[in-house]
Amino acid sequence: MLVSRQAFYLYSPSAVANRGSWTYLAPFRERNLTFTRKQLILSMDLLLPYIACLMLALFVYLALRPSPLTMRIGMIVAGVAAAGWLVGLVTGAVAESGDSTHDIFFLIFSLSAIGSAIRMVTHDRPIYCALHFVVVVIASAGLLLLLEAEFMAFALIIVYAGAILITYMFVLMLANQADNPDELSTQTTFDQLPREPASAVAVGFLMLCLVTGTVIRGSSSLPAPNNPTDQWNTLAHLQKQFESSVLDLDPSFMWPPVASDQGNLIRHDGDGAFIISSDGVRLLLDPELLPQNTQQVGWSLVNDYPVSLELAGVILLMAMFGAAVLARRSIELTDQEKRAAMSAHDAKISNERGTDS
Amino acid sequence: MMTEFGSSALAGYLIISGILFVIGMIGFFVRRNLIVMFLCTELMFQGAAIAFVAIGRYLFDYSGQVMVIFILTVAAAEAALALALVVLLHRQRNTLDAEVYTELAE
């Protein structure tokens, strides 16, 4: 059975966007091969990732079902196997970078994120779901630290684990009730029964297979990264910091530096970034002078996305109004009830005066 | 100065973010508790945030991290509104079971 040309489009978003280029198909067309569907699946290096996805799906499905102890043990074994497989896969991908510390931390953070995410989805007590989500947030903040996004990592912990999760905990404790108020346990039956677990897991992991396939096969056709030297431009915009750091480096430097023909104050060559003073002195800039992560993010936020920043503020304001309006409840009292409340209040006040004197 | 970050390392982070997103989606379908359903959408936001930062890291572009700031904004707004709605619904029916509220559509 031949696979139509259209079927290939499924695997490469860039090919969908740019139908003329056939970027992904180039190696196949050169060899002038026609693939049957079976060959297509087996010939790819995707078999292992697909099996890992399937095992993870099986694990999530088993974890969703209330089960006796033996089943639970089998579930744990399946989960460990699936996780190990996945980890081997991911480390195989990461190992090329050659940084073993990075790999170990990546393993720890990603495993704890996935594990507590599954536990969060399957746990039958909502409070524990929220607590497991805190672990997910902390683990993904660790992943962001590995990605050198320090500001976002700590903002994630402060805003997510500190503010949003506390709101969830408040509402959970406010609203959670047992079926029978006399029971000590606060567990409810609807928390223990999953709704359509088989079809949900099937849909979810079909999507995961698609994502994994696209990521693994498409990572070779990614656009080229920006030039890292672009980061120096931010320093040229931060004038006071630029001037003071340059004068710290070389107090005899004649400020300001001369711009190049393209209008750049900071120029680059094989040695690195340098500036040229008005009297022709060439000063090589230390990479230590590059703006920190927080400065870069802040500059990108206000320079590239000013309108979005304003809109985010408006969204937060509207959410605050909406929450206040929604949660407000006016209490309708009849005249008789008002009079009763008034007289009870009066009686209480006079009673307090009586006890004082 | 940022160090090297190849496309294979990027693939690892993207797969992790995809797994988190999918687990959150499954949780949204499967759970019956309204509050836990909204918690699962927060898990999906987490997956998206990791993908944004990883791609930004690969491209040497700080826009990825700026997008995470907007994700935080939307998550906070969503939490405030959704939880206000949940409190409102809980007052009416005295339960958090999503099945009970299916009649609201009629």
Side-chain angles (χ1 to χ4, degrees):
Chain A
M1 194 168 109
L2 289 176
V3 182
S4 71
R5 285 153 64 112
Q6 287 293 327
F8 284 107
Y9 283 130
L10 281 177
Y11 295 99
S12 171
S14 64
V16 174
N18 188 5
R19 293 202 165 207
S21 71
W22 291 92
T23 44
Y24 186 70
L25 274 183
F28 298 111
R29 290 207 303 168
E30 279 166 17
R31 280 181 275 161
N32 201 11
L33 292 176
T34 328
F35 279 91
T36 64
R37 189 180 294 272
K38 195 178 170 190
Q39 280 172 331
L40 181 73
I41 293 171
L42 289 181
S43 65
M44 295 305 140
D45 47 352
L46 283 179
L47 193 62
L48 220 59
Y50 282 160
I51 292 175
C53 287
L54 200 71
M55 286 188 77
L56 196 63
L58 197 70
F59 174 53
V60 172
Y61 177 72
L62 287 176
L64 280 171
R65 311 284 297 185
S67 53
L69 186 69
T70 47
M71 184 108 169
R72 211 159 262 272
I73 293 170
M75 201 174 80
I76 290 169
V77 172
V80 168
W85 206 317
L86 206 76
V87 160
L89 180 83
V90 170
T91 40
V94 176
E96 285 177 33
S97 65
D99 185 358
S100 62
T101 343
H102 176 278
D103 285 0
I104 290 169
F105 280 111
F106 179 78
L107 271 189
I108 293 172
F109 288 134
S110 56
L111 265 189
S112 54
I114 295 173
S116 44
I118 292 177
R119 199 72 196 99
M120 165 199 160
V121 168
T122 54
H123 209 287
D124 50 12
R125 285 170 189 261
I127 294 285
Y128 285 88
C129 290
L131 289 177
H132 280 293
F133 185 61
V134 174
V135 180
V136 177
V137 170
I138 292 173
S140 53
L143 286 178
L144 296 198
L145 273 184
L146 291 183
L147 288 168
E148 298 177 23
E150 297 90 10
F151 173 70
M152 285 328 298
F154 290 105
L156 209 67
I157 289 181
I158 291 169
V159 176
Y160 253 107
I164 297 181
L165 256 295
I166 295 299
T167 321
Y168 274 96
M169 293 293 246
F170 266 127
V171 176
L172 274 174
M173 294 190 175
L174 202 72
N176 208 26
Q177 281 183 348
D179 293 342
N180 182 3
D182 296 333
E183 283 177 26
L184 283 175
S185 156
T186 53
Q187 252 178 319
T188 49
T189 47
F190 66 85
D191 269 331
Q192 293 162 356
L193 292 172
R195 181 174 53 190
E196 306 273 351
S199 47
V201 169
V203 167
F205 279 88
L206 268 183
M207 194 179 141
L208 183 61
C209 282
L210 198 67
V211 169
T212 317
T214 315
V215 164
I216 290 179
R217 300 167 102 201
S219 58
S220 55
S221 61
L222 277 168
N226 289 348
N227 196 347
T229 52
D230 286 354
Q231 295 173 54
W232 285 105
N233 291 345
T234 310
L235 182 63
H237 288 291
L238 304 171
Q239 286 170 4
K240 276 188 182 169
Q241 186 184 342
F242 189 24
E243 181 173 353
S244 63
S245 54
V246 164
L247 292 181
D248 280 348
L249 203 64
D250 180 9
S252 63
F253 187 83
M254 291 279 285
W255 192 260
V258 183
S260 69
D261 296 338
Q262 290 89 34
N264 294 326
L265 290 177
I266 300 178
R267 314 165 197 210
H268 311 279
D269 61 4
D271 299 338
F274 63 94
I275 50 177
I276 292 179
S277 71
S278 48
D279 54 355
V281 178
R282 183 173 183 276
L283 178 66
L284 200 66
L285 290 180
D286 191 358
E288 293 279 310
L289 295 183
L290 264 180
Q292 302 295 308
N293 173 266
T294 315
Q295 287 177 312
Q296 300 268 19
V297 174
W299 179 256
S300 180
L301 181 65
V302 287
N303 191 47
D304 302 340
Y305 302 96
V307 180
S308 311
L309 184 62
E310 296 292 327
L311 282 179
V314 173
I315 287 176
L316 280 179
L317 184 70
M318 286 299 136
M320 196 180 78
F321 285 161
V325 169
L326 279 176
R328 182 175 147 269
R329 179 171 60 170
S330 58
I331 303 172
E332 298 290 336
L333 290 179
T334 61
D335 284 348
Q336 203 176 358
E337 282 168 336
K338 279 180 193 163
R339 247 175 267 129
M342 289 281 283
S343 59
H345 184 65
D346 289 345
K348 191 181 163 201
I349 288 177
S350 59
N351 194 14
E352 280 170 6
R353 279 187 189 144
T355 51
D356 284 347
S357 64
Chain B
M1 195 78 176
M2 282 186 169
T3 47
E4 281 299 310
F5 187 77
S7 62
S8 53
L10 172 68
Y13 284 96
L14 287 184
I15 290 173
I16 295 300
S17 80
I19 290 173
L20 285 187
F21 187 90
V22 164
I23 290 174
M25 199 173 76
I26 291 174
F28 189 79
F29 291 152
V30 160
R31 297 306 296 258
R32 292 164 189 260
N33 190 321
L34 281 176
I35 297 177
V36 179
M37 284 167 75
F38 284 115
L39 262 181
C40 290
T41 61
E42 304 287 339
L43 188 58
M44 291 159 78
F45 280 131
Q46 286 290 313
I50 292 176
F52 268 121
V53 175
I55 291 180
R57 174 75 180 76
Y58 170 76
L59 294 176
F60 287 115
D61 191 338
Y62 287 91
S63 303
Q65 296 181 40
V66 173
M67 289 302 149
V68 178
I69 294 180
F70 296 136
I71 287 181
L72 280 183
T73 312
V74 172
E78 181 239 325
L81 281 181
L83 292 178
L85 270 175
V86 165
V87 168
L88 199 71
L89 288 173
H90 185 261
R91 276 183 195 152
Q92 288 189 349
R93 301 283 168 87
N94 213 23
T95 177
L96 287 175
D97 190 355
E99 303 272 303
V100 173
Y101 299 104
T102 50
E103 310 151 23
L104 284 181
E106 289 161 12

